[in-house]
Amino acid sequence: MTTTRERLDRRNRVARILVIVLGVVVALALAAAALGLWLLPPMLADSPRERFSSATEITLQTEATTPVSSSAPAGASPRPGSGGAPESTATTTTAWTVTANASIGAGWLALGVGPFLDPSVAVFVSPDDAYRADLALLPLRGTNPDDALATYLAAHDLGDASAGAAWSEETLTSGLTVRYADVAQGADTITVAMIEQPAAETDPSAPTGPDPVADPSASTDPPTADTGATPATRATTAPAVVILRATVDSADAARYRPVTADLAASVTLTTTMGPAS
């Protein structure tokens, strides 16, 4: 005869087994989900999206900031305890939206699908699948283009290979400048090209308006005629640069150089004040 205690113990054992099995299933499901979230973005980033039937203009966008410093207005009251010296230089940060456009030819294949895509990055493969172009719009965030390029090279394991590379510089028909070099990586030749707005010469005696970008057409507000402030330290380039990384088999590198040149020449940069809407 089974006692009440034995029946309760039997039910408790079954419940404990069910809890353990359920816990294992939940743990496996969470591990699978975490693994999927880790693997899915890079898989989707290299998945074919569409092949262009005609020449297509693609757009990259990022948000950037530039520090702007200015001295006190002329005739301002001396700072207390400064011995008659004016207020010290103040630094503020201005937000910008930077947009880059480039032209991609017919037959090219765009890579990248899904919700994980970065709007500042785009990847394309040539119609014969032999040439890959990676475009990235990088905000400078107070650094200079050289630092941005060095960081990019290091992030893509090209830092050591590019150390002895011969860098060249040209001015494109758009007025932008491009610095480029060929880097060998295994059986491939990787051409790295950084496209940027050239530094502008400013008159140090001229008052500074609210636009810290060298190109006055890039601002939503024109500089004021007289702000009453001494000249500010201004950013002389756009607050972002475009980096093109072109990968092709070394045996075909010479044949594809015009393709890289045409792609770099099609890049334009537009800067507007304020974050993206």
Side-chain angles (χ1 to χ4, degrees), residues 40-194:
L40 197 58
M43 290 174 57
L44 292 179
D46 277 336
S47 298
R49 182 171 76 246
E50 60 179 322
R51 193 174 292 276
F52 299 125
S53 59
S54 60
T56 303
E57 185 176 85
I58 59 99
T59 300
L60 307 178
Q61 191 174 82
T62 190
E63 293 183 1
T65 57
T66 52
V68 183
S69 59
S70 59
S71 302
S77 301
R79 188 176 69 254
S82 63
E87 293 288 340
S88 60
T89 300
T91 301
T92 58
T93 300
T94 303
W96 301 90
T97 296
V98 185
T99 302
N101 293 311
S103 179
I104 304 298
W108 282 67
L109 177 65
L111 301 183
V113 295
F116 301 101
L117 295 182
D118 186 343
S120 65
V121 176
V123 183
F124 306 94
V125 176
S126 62
D128 59 4
D129 297 330
Y131 174 99
R132 171 174 169 142
D134 291 74
L135 285 164
L137 177 61
L138 303 181
L140 298 181
R141 304 193 189 284
T143 63
N144 58 55
D146 290 338
D147 291 338
L149 178 59
T151 301
Y152 180 90
L153 292 171
H156 292 86
D157 298 324
L158 296 172
D160 293 337
S162 63
W167 290 87
S168 301
E169 182 173 340
E170 293 181 12
T171 299
L172 303 174
T173 55
S174 62
L176 301 176
T177 61
V178 57
R179 280 185 276 169
Y180 58 94
D182 289 338
V183 178
Q185 189 176 67
D188 294 331
T189 292
I190 301 176
T191 300
V192 180
M194 182 172 67

Side-chain angles (χ1 to χ4, degrees), residues 21-49:
V21 170
L22 182 61
V24 171
V25 171
V26 171
L28 290 175
L30 290 176
L35 182 62
L37 289 175
W38 180 58
L39 295 176
L40 197 58
M43 290 174 57
L44 292 179
D46 277 336
S47 298
R49 182 171 76 246

